[in-house]
Amino acid sequence: MADTGDREEHLDLRAPTLGGPSRRPDGKLDMVITHLEMRRPPHRLARRLPRGLTIEHARSPTVSFYRYLYNTVGAPWLWHERRRLDDDMLRAIIHDAKVEVHVLYMHGVPAGYIELDRRIADEVEVAYFGLIPEFIGRGLGRYLLDWGLNEAWREHPQRVWVHSCNHDHPKAIAVYQRAGFVPYKQETVRIDDPRSDGTI
């Protein structure tokens, strides 16, 4: 676990790439990953869900339903890790008792989800969070994130953390910071572009 100290406020965050990354001839993709954490519950309380919105815990979701959520929410932002897993590997993760998939519905239609991973003792990772593209821009993300953070702190972990990258929604890091997360580390990794190898 990194010692964040005072340098958190001085971390030089690179601006996200708008419009998506261009493809490189070598089929590679550079990702600037920003790690953020929260060591105390947020001051911002979850707001009451408006009429027509519900959040349901998808207990032991089917692989096909999970892939629908992951692929639909994540495609614009090049989410690729779970696409590369076979069904058995994916099922082992999403059926783990310490992994929670909470789905946001608007009038019965899936609108997004937040996945909380408690597999590391005294920590909760916001493993995935996002909205289905048709529901972006309606203010639903804040309801889902605040609700999810309340759930994450339910068992009083030492910290809640998340990571984002320069290919996520351009406002992702700012949204996490407004919710109470503080950036503590940034790194650049080079991966196979999931659009070039057929993953997306």
Side-chain angles (χ1 to χ4, degrees):
M1 191 179 304
D3 174 23
T4 56
D6 291 334
R7 77 180 195 280
E8 294 169 341
E9 297 180 8
H10 306 293
L11 188 63
D12 180 22
L13 299 180
R14 301 181 197 181
T17 303
L18 300 176
S22 58
R23 297 191 189 209
R24 294 167 36 145
D26 63 0
K28 299 295 182 182
L29 184 67
D30 287 333
M31 299 180 67
V32 181
I33 302 172
T34 302
H35 301 263
L36 306 98
E37 67 180 359
M38 184 184 291
R39 291 190 173 269
R40 61 183 60 88
H43 298 297
R44 191 172 84 180
L45 299 176
R47 294 179 294 171
R48 205 168 161 185
L49 291 176
R51 188 174 178 182
L53 285 184
T54 58
I55 298 174
E56 300 288 339
H57 184 180
R59 301 176 190 276
S60 299
T62 61
V63 169
S64 59
F65 179 61
Y66 182 87
R67 287 197 188 280
Y68 161 74
L69 291 173
Y70 182 89
N71 294 350
T72 307
V73 170
W77 321 116
L78 303 185
W79 290 7
H80 62 278
E81 294 93 340
R82 296 281 171 88
R83 287 177 181 253
R84 299 182 192 276
L85 299 179
D86 65 32
D87 285 355
D88 289 339
M89 294 172 69
L90 180 57
R91 188 179 296 109
I93 296 171
I94 63 176
H95 286 190
D96 190 298
K98 294 186 177 181
V99 173
E100 304 170 10
V101 178
H102 299 280
V103 184
L104 175 69
Y105 291 88
M106 175 175 270
H107 300 294
V109 178
Y113 80 108
I114 188 167
E115 182 175 332
L116 304 176
D117 188 338
R118 304 178 189 272
R119 290 179 293 175
I120 298 176
D122 296 320
E123 296 187 7
V124 179
E125 177 189 5
V126 179
Y128 293 98
F129 159 70
L131 299 173
I132 287 173
E134 290 86 347
F135 292 93
I136 293 174
R138 303 189 193 185
L140 303 181
R142 177 171 174 175
Y143 285 105
L144 180 58
L145 181 60
D146 288 352
W147 185 94
L149 290 177
N150 277 355
E151 281 295 300
W153 284 101
R154 186 184 69 228
E155 297 178 6
H156 310 290
Q158 291 183 5
R159 74 167 186 153
V160 175
W161 63 282
V162 67
H163 70 265
S164 185
C165 81
N166 57 319
H167 306 308
D168 280 338
H169 189 286
K171 296 181 180 177
I173 291 174
V175 166
Y176 289 134
Q177 289 179 297
R178 281 196 298 271
F181 284 97
V182 177
Y184 67 93
K185 183 174 73 169
Q186 194 171 69
E187 60 185 333
T188 301
V189 298
R190 181 165 294 175
I191 65 167
D192 293 327
D193 190 327
R195 299 165 301 178
S196 297
D197 64 13
T199 301
I200 294 178

